[in-house]
Amino acid sequence: YVEYVCDEPSNVCGGWGDRMKGILSAYGLSLLLNRKFSLLITKPCNMELILRPNEVDWLELRSRADFVQLNSSNFFIRENFGLVKEFETNNFMSYINQSYYRTSNIIKLKTNLMMINAVAKNPTVSARLKEIGFNDPKKFKLYYQTYNWYKKLFKLAPKYDKKYSSILSKAKPNKSTFLICSQLRIGGKTQANNQNDEVFTQGNESMKFWQFINEKYVNERVKSNDTNYRIFITSDLDYIRNEAERVFGKEYVVYNPDKPSHIDKDFRGAIQNDNCDGIDSTIIDFHMLQHCDAAVMSHSGFGVLGTWNRPEPSKEFYVFTKKDQNELRRNYGDRTNLTFVKIEDLEKDLYMGHD
């Protein structure tokens, strides 16, 4: 087994975007090593209450009668950017097959990095990738596989699927409704529940998002009396959703009515066990992004991976970021002088905190 683990209050697992990087990397690793995949997230609550296995039974491991007799080894990368960078060039298959991993029943992976992207670049894995159907190694990257792997791994538990379906019916009242999605991750000290978040978007720049959406998608529809569109908003701040309603009209703006939250920072140090209240809104919003016909996103893991979680990941996808990604490599926290850049122009160069 390869098991993604996020279980200790003191450990930083990251928000849902960071966790998806780790979860999908762990699943990719399980394919490389021909092992089964398992998932354990109990921080800040038992995540299987919200998400259930779809095609891949990631709960099987802990239901085994002999579970307590299985041995395990820890593959804890967390935020070790240097080690992940080495995975591009070192003999990764030899590294991961060294005796204490090879003989372990369970390899426990903890990371919030896109480890599998680095592994996909490594020439020592190309033969194995071909064996599992990836003749082009770059197709093993999350840009190409988020939609396929997320769909294999997850479906919403009935209670939360009902909430999701209600929001989706408003966002897509019919099959031809054009759905524009926008995530505004503000961060910083303006966030209601957290004083330690990094800044992703300047709070006064939300109007730039609305102007861009108007110019790109809405104005022409208004001129032609086309009302068959909706705008789905997800944000870490309530006022962003209300501001969008004032700009576009309440009848066109859709959002999750529950209070937004960051599942790591807003619940840091807290384990809620079987109470996932306040956390499900993040997962449902991520689940919603797979239906976007167009996406205008802050440069954050949640928005980027959520929009990659579509059959056509680059379709009408714009990121509010630096034209020159090297500026973010030099200072990832510098979120000044941002503009809207089409993802197709960034796919090979989009900087997500590490290469």
Side-chain angles (χ1 to χ4, degrees), residues 36-297:
K36 293 181 179 180
F37 175 72
S38 181
L39 178 66
L40 176 67
I41 300 180
T42 56
K43 179 193 175 186
C45 73
N46 185 354
M47 202 59 65
E48 67 183 76
L49 296 174
I50 302 176
L51 290 169
R52 305 295 298 168
N54 195 18
E55 298 173 28
V56 176
D57 185 4
W58 41 263
L59 290 174
E60 182 220 343
L61 169 61
R62 292 171 185 277
S63 66
R64 286 179 54 154
D66 63 345
F67 171 68
V68 295
Q69 299 170 345
L70 301 179
N71 62 15
S72 64
S73 58
N74 296 328
F75 188 30
F76 291 179
I77 302 171
R78 295 193 178 93
E79 295 180 315
N80 191 333
F81 300 106
L83 180 59
V84 168
K85 187 68 176 174
E86 288 180 18
F87 290 161
E88 295 181 14
T89 54
N90 69 6
N91 194 325
F92 180 77
M93 295 305 286
S94 293
Y95 175 88
I96 200 67
N97 280 319
Q98 55 189 296
S99 60
Y100 58 91
Y101 290 130
R102 187 177 66 250
T103 59
S104 297
N105 299 120
I106 310 164
I107 299 175
K108 294 185 175 184
L109 177 64
K110 288 187 180 182
T111 186
N112 54 12
L113 305 179
M114 292 191 290
M115 180 197 82
I116 209 65
N117 281 11
V119 174
K121 297 177 184 178
N122 192 314
T124 69
V125 305
S126 58
R128 174 58 184 156
L129 287 176
K130 287 180 181 179
E131 289 177 359
I132 59 176
F134 292 91
N135 292 322
D136 182 354
K138 79 174 184 180
K139 297 294 185 182
F140 201 60
K141 292 183 177 182
L142 296 190
Y143 175 82
Y144 299 98
Q145 292 306 320
T146 296
Y147 177 74
N148 297 327
W149 293 352
Y150 185 88
K151 183 171 60 174
K152 285 179 180 292
L153 293 175
F154 299 120
K155 61 183 178 182
L156 290 167
K159 172 182 175 180
Y160 300 104
D161 188 60
K162 186 176 180 180
K163 284 187 178 183
Y164 157 75
S165 297
S166 175
I167 299 168
L168 181 60
S169 67
K170 297 171 184 174
K172 282 272 195 182
N174 58 70
K175 290 183 179 180
S176 62
T177 300
F178 189 82
L179 181 59
I180 307 153
C181 298
S182 189
Q183 184 227 13
L184 276 78
R185 173 82 184 275
I186 305 299
K189 292 187 177 181
T190 58
Q191 197 168 6
N193 295 326
N194 169 59
Q195 298 300 309
N196 300 306
D197 196 14
E198 60 191 304
V199 173
F200 284 82
T201 307
Q202 301 295 328
N204 60 359
E205 291 187 311
S206 57
M207 293 306 295
K208 292 183 180 179
F209 278 72
W210 314 144
Q211 182 180 354
F212 183 84
I213 291 170
N214 260 325
E215 292 176 354
K216 193 74 182 173
Y217 300 111
V218 174
N219 288 345
E220 287 301 317
R221 286 179 165 81
V222 171
K223 287 180 183 177
S224 62
N225 294 318
D226 177 4
T227 60
N228 194 23
Y229 68 91
R230 296 294 183 272
I231 303 167
F232 177 72
I233 302 295
T234 178
S235 178
D236 51 348
L237 290 176
D238 283 320
Y239 87 83
I240 294 293
R241 308 187 298 190
N242 299 332
E243 186 179 83
E245 286 183 322
R246 290 195 298 272
V247 172
F248 299 108
K250 286 187 177 182
E251 65 271 34
Y252 294 106
V253 173
V254 179
Y255 52 82
N256 191 327
D258 293 338
K259 183 178 178 60
S261 66
H262 188 287
I263 66 172
D264 194 87
K265 297 179 185 296
D266 291 349
F267 298 90
R268 184 161 288 176
I271 292 290
Q272 302 189 174
N273 295 317
D274 292 337
N275 178 11
C276 285
D277 291 345
I279 298 160
D280 59 287
S281 61
T282 301
I283 313 300
I284 290 173
D285 280 8
F286 188 90
H287 214 70
M288 278 291 302
L289 297 182
Q290 65 188 294
H291 300 287
C292 306
D293 296 298
V296 182
M297 299 289 170

